[in-house]
Amino acid sequence: MDVFEFVRLRRHAQGEVGLGRFVRLLQDLPEQPQGEAGLVRWAIDGEQGTRGEQLLRLQIQARPLVQCQRCLQPFAWPVQAEVLLQPVLTEAELDEGLPLDEEEDLDASQPEKVLGSRRFDLLAQIEDELILSIPYVPRHEVCPDGSPGAGGAQAQDERRPSPFEALARLKRNDADKA
Ligand SMILES: [Zn+2]
């Protein structure tokens, strides 16, 4: 999609995409559900910022399955992310205009600059946000019955890498060699 045109015309788009499309995301996750439960819903709007910046507002909803690192059971991790993106034309612009004065520094709504182009990779952007939304060590708040979730066994369990993690690492190493 032409991201600059999209913003200029204040366009809106939305859609759904299966979690199976996101190879980078899935390399550390258990198998994802098919159908409705495995869908990522996204919406994107072209906007103008308070200082006239051309912005993209990206919203994502999904419930990817993650593996609890305490009891090793998979569970759905609700993702509801919204991010403001500011497409720029060149790599140099990515580093430009970072806030220097404290007032701006405190502005949490500072958009994240992304390299725009006539072929903006929306799926890659969605995947980045999904990866950022999932904790590195996901855990049930309370593990299901029968697991040593709470209490003494916890610390021990946390140090033991899951078989899935080990497998993922092996796969990655193979990929690196190839
Ligand atoms: Zn658990």
Side-chain angles (χ1 to χ4, degrees):
M1 86 191 211
D2 183 335
V3 68
F4 297 105
E5 175 100 337
F6 187 92
V7 174
R8 193 170 58 77
L9 298 174
R10 305 280 180 272
R11 289 185 59 192
H12 168 87
Q14 63 185 60
E16 294 174 342
V17 55
L19 280 162
R21 285 288 296 274
F22 300 112
V23 176
R24 269 188 300 140
L25 170 74
L26 293 182
Q27 62 184 358
D28 288 320
L29 297 182
E31 199 179 328
Q32 298 300 309
Q34 301 294 312
E36 188 80 357
L39 284 181
V40 181
R41 296 191 167 79
W42 58 267
I44 191 164
D45 289 277
E47 288 186 12
Q48 187 165 20
T50 48
R51 278 160 293 190
E53 320 91 298
Q54 304 289 293
L55 301 175
L56 282 171
R57 183 181 299 274
L58 175 61
Q59 296 174 79
I60 301 165
Q61 272 180 44
R63 292 177 62 80
L65 283 184
V66 298
Q67 186 181 36
C68 174
Q69 296 304 297
R70 198 153 50 200
C71 71
L72 306 185
Q73 296 301 308
F75 67 107
W77 187 271
V79 171
Q80 188 127 30
E82 177 171 323
V83 64
L84 264 186
L85 306 170
Q86 183 175 8
V88 295
L89 270 172
T90 63
E91 300 225 9
E93 281 179 275
L94 284 178
D95 306 320
E96 241 173 51
L98 290 175
L100 291 175
D101 59 278
E102 284 179 30
E103 208 180 314
E104 266 195 305
D105 218 7
L106 292 172
D107 185 0
S109 64
Q110 194 77 26
E112 180 189 330
K113 292 192 178 178
V114 291
L115 207 53
S117 72
R118 308 249 168 245
R119 294 170 52 162
F120 180 67
D121 194 343
L122 179 60
L123 283 179
Q125 204 65 50
I126 291 172
E127 185 165 32
D128 284 350
E129 297 307 326
L130 284 170
I131 290 170
L132 288 174
S133 301
I134 294 174
Y136 188 63
V137 183
R139 287 191 201 102
H140 288 110
E141 243 173 76
V142 177
C143 288
D145 291 352
S147 77
Q154 184 178 336
Q156 214 180 345
D157 266 16
E158 274 171 8
R159 254 176 257 123
R160 195 180 60 199
S162 78
F164 182 84
E165 257 181 4
L167 189 66
R169 216 170 293 131
L170 280 177
K171 279 193 202 148
R172 246 192 317 259
N173 286 346
D174 282 347
D176 288 347
K177 275 176 223 149

